[in-house]
Amino acid sequence: GMGAVYRADDLRLTGRECALKEVTYQVTGLPDADEAREQFYREASTLARLDHPNLPKVSDHFSENGCDYLVMDFVGGPDLQTLVQEAGAKGDHLQEKQVIEWAAQLCDALEYLHSQEPPVLHRDIKPANIRLTGSGLVKLVDFGLVKLMMPDETRTVTVVHGRGTVSYTPLEQYGGETGHTDARSDIYGLGATIYHLLTGQPPASAKDRFLQPGLLAPAQELNPRISDRTDAVIQWALAMHPDQRPSTTAQLRDVLLGKAPLPKKGRSGRAKRESNPAGSWARALGANAALLVVVLLLLAAAAYVSYLPDGGRFLP
């Protein structure tokens, strides 16, 4: 509802395909057209300076008939949302090793974005915005919610105001221009993306988790093949408060790859559903079925003995 993206041919460079992102301003809450256009060109200039193998290159920008356009590389190949759906249709999950490899590439891209002056936040990381190229590289596309953090942090530059996609959006991002988002907001989106890729379903939204603490199902509960380390890293990245998440994508990447130990604050073991005590009891009983049978037999024997003459004592 805030624009469109077209696959286009470059008429000046024969054979080159590009993605043409059209930005419109007919959305409630956007600044007036002149201010929005000024912000657009500032953002476009910033994006045009970016050069990273896991990001599409922005090559041009222009205005036409009251709309502004970004010209960037066209990225072929399927998006990761499609790959998750294909695996689910076969009753399977994506392989953890492959997902971690993709996540490491995304960490590299985000580390590059966050190291810019001013830092660049993506704010809409999700499987549908990540494409897998024929060479095996993943590319983070769609800069529709990009936000430039100004040095004094008193104002931000955002061309398209939005809140992201609910399952991948941290609570602080719902504050709009009054909420403070930083690199840890992108880390939340990346954690939610890894969760979805490995479990086949997006995590519970931050808003729902705020209202129902413990609502988030552990990733291992949905896919028991996920390693303890990966499960713990996902929980760490999806912490509700930014201070409880990894501080940088480099830290997240190193722990995810096993190059660094998981900090104590990120060690929570396998998560439990606090909001589903019945489910927790069922899992506990299932794990201790043998012990439960012994206890029931002993209780039955004690009850039987109590009904015997003299409490079941043998008489001389």
Side-chain angles (χ1 to χ4, degrees), residues 245-315:
R245 301 174 204 148
S247 56
T248 65
T249 52
Q251 183 185 29
L252 174 65
R253 178 191 58 227
D254 290 346
V255 175
L256 188 63
L257 294 177
K259 296 181 179 180
L262 187 69
K264 289 184 178 180
K265 64 180 180 180
R267 296 179 184 273
S268 57
R270 288 191 65 166
K272 298 179 181 179
R273 285 207 207 205
E274 300 171 357
S275 63
N276 187 6
S280 298
W281 272 102
R283 289 192 297 274
L285 292 176
N288 297 279
L291 179 60
L292 178 63
V293 170
V294 173
V295 171
L296 291 175
L297 288 174
L298 289 174
L299 289 173
Y304 174 74
V305 168
S306 68
Y307 281 102
L308 294 177
D310 295 319
R313 289 177 294 176
F314 289 98
L315 299 177

Side-chain angles (χ1 to χ4, degrees), residues 6 30 69 79 85 116 122 153 232 242 299:
Y6 299 92
L30 291 179
Y69 296 86
D79 60 62
Q85 292 173 342
Q116 300 301 303
H122 190 278
E153 293 189 338
L299 289 173

